[in-house]
Amino acid sequence: MLDFDEFPETEILPVIVERRAHTTPNAPLIIENSSTVTCAELNARANRIARALRENGLQRGGRCAVMMTNSTDAIATWIAVAKMGAVEVPINTAYHGDILRHVLRTAECAMVIADAAFLSVLEEVAGECPNLQLCIIRGVEGDLPVSSTPLLHFETCLSPDGSNLGEEIGFSDSACILFTSGTTGPSKGAIISHRQMIAFGATYRLITSMSAKDTTYNYLPFFHVAGKFNFMAPLMSGGRMVLKERLAISEFWQDIRRNGCTVVTAVGGVCNMLHARAPAADDADNPLRLIYAVPIPHEIAVAFARRFDLKLVEGYGSTESNIVVWTPLVGAPQGSCGRPGPWYEVAIVDNHDRLLPPGETGEIVVRGRGPWLLMNGYFGMPAATCEVFRNQWFHTGDRGRMGGDGWLYFIDRMTDTLRRRGENISSYEVEQIILRHPEIAEAAAVAIASDLDEDEMKLVVVPRSGAHLTAEELFLWCVAELPYFMVPRYIEFRDELPRTPTQKVRKVELRAEGVTDALWDRQKAGWKLYQGRFEHR
């Protein structure tokens, strides 16, 4: 286990950026399209932005919203806010209307920095955000429109002074407010300290054994913590990052080879999407040595790793905590998401917060082995903060079990558990079995309200290219492979699953759709359950 001395409290984002700019000024740090940004260039850009923010009224501790797609300026803005001691509020670029208003009002943002593409959605809500004093817009050509909230051009307001500000930033100071993706309910703003923020980078660096030789491939947005630690880890290790605005599966391997990328994070169904593409003779001829997969697709893991000649590791965590558990390169039992890392304790508790012994299923709870390693709370939501931090543990809302040898097994989100035929059903478990079908690329199982006091299951699947599977054929396959109470009532085929910008399946959307005409219904098709068997009547 690493000692805390190897992760000193003085290590915060502004300090690390400035040190890299001093020790390796000309080293490439960000590769974006055909351009390379050095350590010194990024630091100077961040300083110019920071001075502009201060000159235009942003105070230390003030909240500055950032609504930008992936770009070097998005990273420089993040660093700039940190350098001046303000609090960054990165906003999901898909937000508009009520949810955008909710974020700006909840975080009490005084300023917004946004790409021109988001000016119109900001204009719709800015007048209803009383704390908002200024919007700085990047990429607008010509005059800015007349607005109830003052607007400035990003480029023209930058300071010509690119020197360091010299602001003293404490490791316990708030660095940002990261809003949850909303896959299980309304977004909440997790307050992340500088200590916790850099702990994400340090953890990812440890998981991937990253060194100065590595290049990460990052398509994840910076309003998600995974996008941030994919930059912080190479920053800390002396490596570099290839930055993409978004993921394009068709361009993935071409980008990896052209840029010499060695490490990538694959969230959601990315591994499944890569594996579903037609095999090529040069699949194994690539520089990628490691994929951090969340989760590892165990049904294809061995074939996937062999096909692309790389290693897969997995982790478990959350925005509110960190990556608190991960697998080693070899030796993890199948189905486990790993063992706890050095800076966090992980346990399983029952409904009364009593610790459960190995092998028993309950809620996964976490606490840090030092100060400021978990979120400081949900901004403006004291009741929700007290609820998740009760009895000195952070409650994840996830179900799992701990093996006697210390391996953690994730079961499901507690909100993704179905109740059917007197049985609790893990949607995750159903999905993993469905993905064994040779013609299925992706799957999502969700609960649909039933006339009875339990759930019906809706299964939404994406078939592999060239598949000719019917819903009834898949149903019969499920009958053969699943316990009767896990067999879905409804089946739907889609070209793609709805996803957040971080590629998580938006199950809340699938649940909200309910029963639609697009669904195949086993009961309407004549299949009835009789004494644990399905019969066609």
Side-chain angles (χ1 to χ4, degrees):
M1 181 177 292
L2 291 179
D3 190 274
F4 271 101
D5 289 342
E6 298 181 50
F7 178 32
E9 294 168 351
T10 54
E11 288 292 273
I12 61 174
L13 182 62
V15 170
I16 299 171
V17 170
E18 291 170 10
R19 184 172 63 240
R20 283 290 309 269
H22 176 70
T23 59
T24 58
N26 299 318
L29 182 56
I30 300 171
I31 302 167
E32 183 183 5
N33 299 323
S34 57
S35 300
T36 297
V37 180
T38 68
C39 298
E41 288 170 339
L42 180 64
N43 185 57
R45 185 72 168 174
N47 288 333
R48 293 182 64 202
I49 297 170
R51 292 181 184 279
L53 299 182
R54 189 162 63 185
E55 290 165 5
N56 282 283
L58 186 63
Q59 303 293 314
R60 185 184 178 100
R63 269 78 63 193
C64 179
V66 178
M67 196 170 186
M68 303 172 77
T69 57
N70 281 6
S71 66
T72 297
D73 274 343
I75 299 173
T77 300
W78 162 33
I79 297 168
V81 175
K83 278 174 172 277
M84 62 170 299
V87 181
E88 183 209 19
V89 184
I91 296 181
N92 189 318
T93 54
Y95 284 2
H96 59 89
D98 287 344
I99 191 167
L100 177 58
R101 184 185 302 107
H102 164 74
V103 170
L104 292 172
R105 290 176 65 116
T106 299
E108 300 173 357
C109 295
M111 188 178 290
V112 175
I113 305 172
D115 286 334
F118 310 115
L119 176 57
S120 61
V121 297
L122 284 168
E123 282 282 273
E124 291 174 2
V125 302
E128 301 172 69
C129 300
N131 295 92
L132 191 59
Q133 301 169 14
L134 178 67
C135 295
I136 299 177
I137 308 301
R138 173 181 176 266
V140 171
E141 295 183 4
D143 294 335
L144 288 162
V146 177
S147 171
S148 58
T149 303
L151 304 177
L152 285 178
H153 278 284
F154 181 85
E155 285 292 342
T156 57
C157 78
L158 295 187
S159 169
D161 186 353
S163 62
N164 294 329
L165 278 70
E167 192 81 34
E168 291 291 330
I169 310 297
F171 73 95
S172 61
D173 292 346
S174 296
C176 76
I177 299 174
L178 280 171
F179 278 77
T180 59
S181 61
T183 55
T184 58
S187 296
K188 299 186 290 292
I191 307 169
I192 310 298
S193 68
H194 281 276
R195 171 72 162 167
Q196 186 194 2
M197 175 64 73
I198 209 66
F200 274 105
T203 302
Y204 189 65
R205 179 185 180 186
L206 185 61
I207 293 170
T208 59
S209 301
M210 197 171 294
S211 73
K213 297 178 181 179
D214 283 304
T215 301
T216 60
Y217 183 78
N218 189 20
Y219 56 88
L220 293 164
F222 291 99
F223 54 77
H224 189 278
V225 76
K228 291 182 179 297
F229 66 61
N230 268 272
F231 168 73
M232 288 187 292
L235 173 71
M236 298 166 73
S237 65
R240 63 216 59 82
M241 177 190 70
V242 172
L243 182 62
K244 302 293 291 185
E245 184 173 338
R246 63 181 62 86
L247 176 66
I249 291 294
S250 62
E251 301 171 4
F252 181 85
W253 289 114
Q254 178 182 346
D255 279 349
I256 294 293
R257 293 185 178 100
R258 181 173 59 247
N259 294 293
C261 298
T262 56
V263 177
V264 70
T265 296
V267 294
V270 171
C271 286
N272 298 84
M273 289 186 277
L274 290 171
H275 195 63
R277 292 181 64 82
D282 63 348
D283 277 343
D285 183 16
N286 69 80
L288 207 59
R289 65 172 179 84
L290 180 74
I291 290 182
Y292 171 66
V294 189
I296 288 177
H298 292 289
E299 72 284 354
I300 62 168
V302 174
F304 183 93
R306 184 183 301 118
R307 173 179 171 182
F308 297 112
D309 189 25
L310 49 77
K311 301 290 186 182
L312 291 168
V313 295
E314 180 176 355
Y316 166 81
S318 67
T319 300
E320 294 91 336
S321 56
N322 200 317
I323 311 169
V324 296
V325 165
W326 64 85
T327 60
L329 288 175
V330 293
Q334 183 167 326
S336 170
C337 50
R339 283 180 168 141
W343 302 313
Y344 296 89
E345 294 180 67
V346 180
I348 307 296
V349 299
D350 66 11
N351 292 337
H352 301 285
D353 284 350
R354 294 173 296 197
L355 294 175
L356 290 173
E360 292 197 24
T361 298
E363 185 173 7
I364 303 170
V365 293
V366 178
R367 63 186 177 193
R369 296 184 183 274
W372 307 103
L373 289 169
L374 297 175
M375 73 164 180
N376 297 355
Y378 294 119
F379 190 87
M381 303 179 73
T385 300
C386 290
E387 175 63 20
V388 296
F389 276 115
R390 64 185 182 273
N391 293 317
Q392 300 181 330
W393 290 92
F394 170 69
H395 291 64
T396 65
D398 294 336
R399 296 172 64 248
R401 62 181 174 84
M402 193 75 75
D405 49 4
W407 295 100
L408 178 68
Y409 294 82
F410 171 82
I411 304 298
D412 212 336
R413 284 291 300 171
M414 294 174 77
T415 53
D416 283 344
T417 299
L418 296 85
R419 181 79 173 174
R420 183 68 181 160
R421 300 289 175 181
E423 299 282 349
N424 288 321
I425 302 170
S426 163
S427 63
Y428 177 84
E429 187 174 13
V430 172
E431 291 156 4
Q432 297 308 299
I433 295 172
I434 298 298
L435 288 171
R436 296 176 190 168
H437 193 290
E439 294 188 76
I440 299 299
E442 299 178 76
V446 297
I448 296 294
S450 168
D451 294 336
L452 304 176
D453 188 21
E454 56 180 11
D455 300 317
E456 296 282 6
M457 186 191 300
K458 177 168 76 171
L459 178 67
V460 183
V461 297
V462 176
R464 293 187 182 279
S465 177
H468 300 287
L469 188 67
T470 67
E472 190 162 57
E473 288 170 342
L474 179 56
F475 161 74
L476 292 172
W477 186 90
C478 291
V479 170
E481 297 293 328
L482 292 163
Y484 72 92
F485 57 85
M486 286 190 177
V487 175
R489 173 175 172 178
Y490 303 105
I491 295 176
E492 181 181 357
F493 289 87
R494 294 193 182 189
D495 293 333
E496 59 184 13
L497 297 175
R499 294 184 181 275
T500 70
T502 56
Q503 301 301 306
K504 293 180 181 178
V505 176
R506 281 189 54 81
K507 287 191 173 182
V508 67
E509 182 176 321
L510 296 177
R511 280 191 290 267
E513 290 172 357
V515 178
T516 68
D517 293 338
L519 299 180
W520 178 86
D521 183 346
R522 75 176 186 224
Q523 290 190 12
K524 289 184 178 179
W527 289 98
K528 306 296 182 183
L529 183 63
Y530 180 72
Q531 295 184 347
R533 298 193 310 273
F534 288 97
E535 297 179 358
H536 194 269
R537 298 183 177 182

